[in-house]
């Protein structure tokens, strides 16, 4: 499975806490894009796609949600619920996001600019890409 949880160093003192992500260091790729997801709803699902090239780190800055990760052979569920844990997802991994807490906020660091052509949004096409060759 081409994903892992990254434990981020927390710089904390009486003023609060701070986490830093740096491309090529604790983030394993150079960061080309940052986007965030907010105003999420518990009954709504997102994702349901894979990427041919994109690598990402996803952080639940606030709240929680569940990721389903699928490499075409195995499915695993991962909860994101801490701002000091990042979910790294590599290439060719199907992802689904669900069970969002109200007001969950996700920050995502991405290795490429946005390119809709690089998405695989059909699960059968994904299975064919990863298993069918
Ligand atoms: C992913 C998960 C975690 C853009 O115009 N630029 C962007 O950088 C992104 C990410 C999206 N968009 C547009 C494309 C759609 O019209 O925003 C709209 C919503 O995107 P999407 O339905 O793909 O959102 P999610 O939450 O299903 O998936 C997103 C990312 O697209 C995806 O790469 O891994 O978050």
């Amino acid at each position: 499975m081409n994903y892992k949880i990254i434990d981020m160093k927390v710089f904390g003192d009486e003023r609060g806490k701070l986490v830093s992500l740096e491309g090529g260091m604790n983030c394993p790729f150079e960061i080309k894009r940052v986007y965030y997801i907010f105003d999420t709803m518990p009954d709504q699902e997102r994702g349901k796609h894979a990427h041919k090239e994109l690598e990402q780190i996803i952080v639940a800055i606030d709240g929680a949600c569940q990721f389903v990760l699928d490499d075409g052979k195995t499915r695993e569920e991962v909860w994101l619920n801490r701002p000091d844990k990042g979910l790294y997802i590599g290439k060719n991994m199907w992802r689904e996001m669900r069970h969002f807490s109200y007001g969950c906020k996700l920050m995502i660091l991405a290795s490429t600019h946005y390119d809709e052509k690089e998405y695989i949004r059909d699960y059968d096409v994904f299975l064919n890409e990863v298993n069918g060759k």
Side-chain angles (χ1 to χ4, degrees):
M1 294 285 261
N2 194 8
Y3 80 87
K4 64 182 174 187
I5 298 290
I6 298 177
D7 287 311
M8 277 119 50
K9 182 173 169 57
V10 178
F11 298 91
D13 56 33
E14 63 281 0
R15 298 168 300 167
K17 293 178 178 167
L18 183 153
V19 168
S20 168
L21 280 161
E22 297 192 59
M25 297 174 73
N26 57 345
C27 172
F29 50 80
E30 291 301 329
I31 300 159
K32 286 264 182 64
R33 174 166 54 109
V34 177
Y35 62 95
Y36 43 93
I37 295 172
F38 59 104
D39 279 354
T40 54
M41 298 300 287
D43 59 344
Q44 296 293 322
E45 299 187 347
R46 306 187 66 106
K48 301 188 180 191
H49 57 252
H51 291 282
K52 294 177 194 168
E53 294 301 329
L54 181 67
E55 298 171 80
Q56 302 193 104
I57 288 182
I58 300 144
V59 184
I61 296 293
D62 196 10
C65 78
Q66 189 184 59
F67 271 73
V68 177
L69 296 158
D70 180 336
D71 65 358
K73 294 188 173 66
T74 314
R75 277 200 153 210
E76 293 179 6
E77 294 173 355
V78 173
W79 277 97
L80 272 191
N81 53 14
R82 292 180 60 104
D84 59 355
K85 296 221 183 291
L87 170 62
Y88 166 84
I89 308 180
K91 301 172 191 180
N92 289 316
M93 288 290 294
W94 186 264
R95 84 278 326 260
E96 299 177 5
M97 299 128 80
R98 61 190 188 192
H99 303 321
F100 288 95
S101 61
Y102 280 106
C104 170
K105 295 172 188 64
L106 300 180
M107 179 190 72
I108 299 103
L109 310 179
S111 66
T112 68
H113 294 297
Y114 175 69
D115 178 8
E116 184 58 41
K117 295 192 293 298
E118 184 272 337
Y119 282 67
I120 305 171
R121 291 192 183 268
D122 182 307
Y123 188 65
D124 291 333
V125 172
F126 167 70
L127 287 181
N128 209 34
E129 284 271 330
V130 293
N131 296 328
K133 286 175 186 163

